Amino acid sequence: MSILEDARALAESGPVCDACLGRAFAERSFGLTNAERGKSLRIAAALDADEPYESVDTEDCWVCEGECARFDEWAERCAASIDDVEVETYQVGTRAPPLVEENEILLREGAGLPEDAGELFKSEFNREVGKRVGRLTDTEVDFTRPDVQFLLDIERDVVETQLNSAFVYGRYRKLERDIPQTEWPCRECDGSGYKGKEPCDYCGGSGYLYEHSVEGFVAPVVMDVMDGVEAKFHGAGREDVDALMLGTGRPFVVEIMEPRRRTIDVEQLEGDVNAMAEGAIEVEGLRLATYDMVERVKKLDASKQYRAAVEFDDDVTDEELQAALDELTGATIDQYTPNRVDHRRASLTRVRQVYDASGELEDARHATVEIHGEGGLYIKELVSGDEGRTEPSLAGLLDTGAVVTALDVIAVEGEDEPFEDDEFFKD
């Protein structure tokens, strides 16, 4: 059959609007809407048969039940739903009514066309409403990770609007000890602050084991500036609660859910966070980031540099210390899950590398050592040996007890590439 014969067969099934008629031939030609295709075919068929041209009101269409007349209305509803929200990119999806989907199949079957001829009703709806949304909101379509996603539920006559998260990258320094990276709910009251009807004695009714956290200093400020509803803190690993994070700082990403603002002054934000923290922590290098930066921060292989104050059980000479550190440099370390984290880490042996180890004695029982090692290397256990769970260790090589009395992280950097790659930033 010719295309005009196919068009006649479709039109004979009942009142079919131009859009539904043209949609069956969506793969033919370019630069036309389906409604333009349908009208053109209807005119051409009338001319070919020398018959009067008869148009069909979209509201009377038995296939879409008049929905193809509502593109403008749906677009206006989408735009209204983000009237006071800052977005740059969008995507439109459609949940088609089951009856319309069934009608599409019946239309093609009745005309002897394949069930998948042309395109689907929901595909046309996505495109036609999407084009109008872009014009109304001065935004661009993004089929990967848009700022906002609209779902048109035709049967329920509802626009579901989803604001996707925004992301801010930076590095933090933790300048005071006994501050965890993230909020630490009290294990006795599960973060409620109460045991029964009484305030929890363990946490003083706060619901947290520590009054402050890096997350608590940073995330609420970012959330307030971006006018979001919730914030999540993602760090490139974490240091012990009693350790400082110095040097160039540790990479992190703050994820803001449902932000109403996305264009922010990151330099001012940096100042606001640091003012709020009052010297407990500092952030720097804040930048608007992409969704993919979260995975990069959490999964990029990174090496760490540490400085540790060490106390020995017996007197140690400088020659003995240097020999032990030389032996650790370049060593492969087997670490069975440390006693101190055994309750929250899988019991297994981890193999890690020490890239460099150096240090100097302060007196016969005290030293400061610096360790550069592979990510995941437990430094306290590298020093103490952890009752034989870490081999080799500084304590084992010196044949005396050794313990870290103060630990500082002084660098967190990517093993093969830096965390800061322009591909993952939006500014």
Side-chain angles (χ1 to χ4, degrees):
M1 295 176 67
S2 69
I3 188 172
L4 292 183
E5 290 172 326
D6 289 337
R8 290 192 190 97
L10 292 168
E12 288 171 358
S13 66
V16 180
C17 70
D18 290 339
C20 288
L21 179 63
R23 192 162 58 251
F25 308 98
E27 74 280 0
R28 305 293 290 267
S29 189
F30 297 96
L32 296 172
T33 65
N34 286 331
E36 290 169 340
R37 285 189 182 89
K39 183 175 182 179
S40 298
L41 287 169
R42 205 185 301 275
I43 292 172
L47 289 170
D48 182 63
D50 194 18
E51 296 174 349
Y53 165 73
E54 296 182 2
S55 62
V56 173
D57 289 337
T58 304
E59 290 80 359
D60 296 330
C61 179
W62 72 271
V63 181
C64 71
E65 299 189 315
E67 289 297 335
C68 289
R70 301 180 64 198
F71 295 148
D72 289 333
E73 176 191 338
W74 282 102
E76 289 166 1
R77 291 170 66 180
C78 289
S81 73
I82 57 167
D83 182 55
D84 57 348
V85 180
E86 182 183 355
V87 297
E88 295 180 354
T89 58
Y90 72 94
Q91 185 181 31
V92 173
T94 301
R95 184 179 292 133
L99 181 58
V100 172
E101 293 181 320
E102 182 179 340
N103 289 346
E104 284 205 288
I105 294 173
L106 293 174
L107 174 67
R108 286 158 177 74
E109 285 181 348
L113 297 178
E115 183 179 309
D116 60 351
E119 69 175 342
L120 299 175
F121 166 85
K122 62 182 180 181
S123 298
E124 178 173 19
F125 235 84
N126 293 345
R127 183 180 61 258
E128 293 302 325
V129 174
K131 289 190 299 186
R132 291 162 170 80
V133 168
R135 289 195 293 267
L136 288 172
T137 61
D138 193 26
T139 54
E140 296 183 1
V141 67
D142 181 348
F143 296 113
T144 55
R145 183 76 183 183
D147 294 339
V148 61
Q149 290 176 278
F150 304 104
L151 177 61
L152 316 179
D153 191 322
I154 308 300
E155 189 168 39
R156 292 173 53 227
D157 197 28
V158 169
V159 175
E160 296 179 9
T161 302
Q162 175 183 311
L163 292 175
N164 286 328
S165 297
F167 305 88
V168 175
Y169 170 87
R171 285 176 175 261
Y172 74 82
R173 284 184 291 274
K174 193 175 76 178
L175 307 177
E176 294 181 5
R177 301 192 191 278
D178 297 321
I179 297 178
Q181 183 188 87
T182 55
E183 293 179 342
W184 200 325
C186 173
R187 59 177 176 268
E188 294 297 318
C189 65
D190 294 326
S192 69
Y194 287 88
K195 293 292 292 289
K197 295 183 178 180
E198 299 297 323
C200 175
D201 290 335
Y202 196 76
C203 65
S206 70
Y208 296 96
L209 292 183
Y210 295 87
E211 181 180 1
H212 299 298
S213 66
V214 177
E215 175 184 24
F217 284 124
V218 179
V221 181
V222 181
M223 184 173 72
D224 181 63
V225 169
M226 303 191 85
D227 197 8
V229 300
E230 187 180 351
K232 289 184 180 179
F233 190 94
H234 307 278
R238 62 176 68 217
E239 66 283 341
D240 291 339
V241 172
D242 60 354
L244 300 182
M245 179 67 242
L246 305 175
T248 56
R250 185 182 297 275
F252 70 89
V253 173
V254 174
E255 176 182 359
I256 302 299
M257 274 67 83
E258 299 183 37
R260 304 183 78 80
R261 294 186 59 203
R262 292 176 185 269
T263 303
I264 60 174
D265 185 334
V266 290
E267 291 185 3
Q268 181 176 334
L269 174 61
E270 191 172 297
D272 291 343
V273 171
N274 291 337
M276 177 71 70
E278 297 183 328
I281 71 155
E282 292 177 346
V283 298
E284 67 177 12
L286 298 189
R287 298 178 67 179
L288 293 170
T290 66
Y291 167 78
D292 295 323
M293 182 55 94
V294 173
E295 183 175 11
R296 184 173 181 82
V297 160
K298 297 177 79 70
K299 294 187 176 181
L300 185 69
D301 289 337
S303 67
K304 318 286 175 64
Q305 289 184 258
Y306 302 84
R307 180 173 58 233
V310 179
E311 183 176 334
F312 304 109
D313 287 352
D314 300 301
D315 289 355
V316 173
T317 67
D318 185 62
E319 291 77 11
E320 291 170 333
L321 176 62
Q322 297 306 322
L325 293 172
D326 287 345
E327 194 159 344
L328 284 178
T329 298
T332 298
I333 310 298
D334 292 332
Q335 291 192 310
Y336 191 73
T337 303
N339 279 304
R340 65 188 172 92
V341 298
D342 193 43
H343 62 288
R344 53 188 166 91
R345 292 284 190 273
S347 296
L348 52 85
T349 297
R350 297 167 176 83
V351 179
R352 296 292 187 267
Q353 295 294 128
V354 174
Y355 301 138
D356 187 46
S358 61
E360 58 183 28
L361 282 176
E362 297 175 11
D363 57 48
R365 295 287 182 100
H366 299 88
T368 299
V369 300
E370 292 196 4
I371 306 291
H372 181 201
E374 185 179 358
L377 178 67
Y378 290 105
I379 298 302
K380 291 178 179 177
E381 286 69 26
L382 180 67
V383 170
S384 71
D386 195 26
E387 299 177 352
R389 288 180 173 227
T390 292
E391 291 287 349
S393 68
L394 184 60
L397 293 170
L398 291 171
D399 194 24
T400 186
V403 63
V404 172
T405 58
L407 182 66
D408 302 335
V409 187
I410 54 179
V412 178
E413 302 296 343
E415 287 272 14
D416 303 313
E417 56 181 306
F419 284 91
E420 294 83 358
D421 185 324
D422 286 343
E423 177 185 349
F424 298 90
F425 295 112
K426 302 193 74 171
D427 51 345

